[in-house]
Amino acid sequence: ATQIVAFQKDAKAAHVKQMHRVFALLGSGNYAGAWQEQLNLEKMMAADHQAYERALYPLYDLSNAMFMACPSRQGVSMQQDPLQAIQLVRNVYVRGVGIEDANKFLGADDIELSIDIIKNMVEKQLIEDVKATHTADAYRELLTVLDNNHPAYKYAAEQVAILEFDESCKTVAGCHAYLRNYPNSPLIEKAKAQLLKLEFTHAKEVNDEKTWNKFISDYQFVSEASTQVGEARKALTHLQETRLCNKATTLAELDDYASSHRRDVANRVFVAYDNLVNLPTHSYRFMSLKLNFNGFVGSVDETITETSGTVTLNRYKFNAQGLLTEAYNGHTRVLTQYTYAYDAKHGYYLVGKKEKGKSYAYKC
């Protein structure tokens, strides 16, 4: 059996000389001629392909890489795959076997190649193919095989970000993911503007206090969102007025609102409140009727016992907002109707008092 020697051991061996012919043509750019010589080499290797591959490593892998990355397919029937080609070349560096001998072989006067030159040629073709394909996935694959300091690395990363923008920034969640994943994207400001637009649209569609409050909290200090924040404040105030400007509103709700919101003279809730606190028929101001209780809701029975023993019963009823709705003095019942009224006060009431020979008792 013919001994299959490594290319470093015998430059005159038939398979080594054939490998030399392949690279001599590749070095001159004659891919079609080189491919024919590669096919002749394959016939020679058919007897024990693995043994020949080991003997010619890494030259055989490097020639295949050049054919896979061939810029023109004319005369080369191997499937073009620059990505696989660059991975073959990178594996040569990773394994670190036979690099010095391979460079010596490739540096022959009639070849004038090196592993670095082959790597650059393959990378160049891969970059051109990726640019022609121009998809985010293609650029992502390119990033996996390029060194971080490669001139095309930054360009590829930017292209991924640009292409991902149209795909990702269709939803609020997509915009947040884009901003998180591509903080250095050239479209970062565009993504922020898109997020603002989507979140403002979402807030208008939902149109509740919680959503508007969150939008205002997120964007109140963003100068580009000043117009939207202004509209959000108006929408929020309208919702609050609608919720609070009705007779079902309780003192507790109004008190919570007054204590947790900044006073705004244009806010109808505060305007109504300011009017209300001076309304003598409201429990907050009911001291004008000399009953001295403040911010009360429900009913109050007033029993007046004179020294002579005469007893008079008065009854006062207040609604959930502390407004007097009914007064009864034992003989006449008076009903009071209101258009609207609001309060933000809780107070106290007396359980009893004595005044000018009369004893007052209250049951609430």
Side-chain angles (χ1 to χ4, degrees), residues 210-341:
K210 180 180 179 181
T211 305
W212 282 123
N213 273 318
K214 184 179 185 306
F215 180 85
I216 293 170
S217 175
D218 290 344
Y219 287 101
Q220 59 184 326
F221 301 117
V222 179
S223 58
E224 293 81 2
S226 58
T227 299
Q228 291 88 339
V229 170
E231 293 183 31
R233 293 188 191 279
K234 290 179 182 179
L236 177 61
T237 298
H238 175 73
L239 288 172
Q240 291 170 338
E241 290 178 349
T242 301
R243 175 171 61 86
L244 295 171
C245 293
N246 63 79
K247 63 183 181 181
T249 305
T250 66
L251 282 173
E253 291 173 318
L254 289 164
D255 184 58
D256 179 68
Y257 182 85
S259 63
S260 60
H261 290 77
R262 185 174 61 182
R263 174 171 287 276
D264 180 2
V265 294
N267 187 323
R268 198 157 58 92
V269 177
F270 284 107
V271 173
Y273 165 71
D274 289 340
N275 291 332
L276 180 64
V277 294
N278 293 309
L279 189 65
T281 52
H282 193 275
S283 59
Y284 176 62
R285 296 286 296 173
F286 214 63
M287 63 183 68
S288 64
L289 299 182
K290 301 185 184 302
L291 294 182
N292 293 321
F293 50 82
N294 184 1
F296 185 75
V297 297
S299 63
V300 178
D301 289 337
E302 178 187 50
T303 303
I304 304 174
T305 305
E306 300 186 34
T307 54
S308 63
T310 303
V311 176
T312 303
L313 176 64
N314 296 322
R315 172 169 290 178
Y316 306 93
K317 288 187 177 181
F318 300 89
N319 66 10
Q321 297 169 336
L323 287 170
L324 180 66
T325 57
E326 181 180 331
Y328 179 71
N329 63 4
H331 302 285
T332 304
R333 186 176 67 168
V334 179
L335 300 178
T336 306
Q337 299 293 330
Y338 301 93
T339 302
Y340 62 87

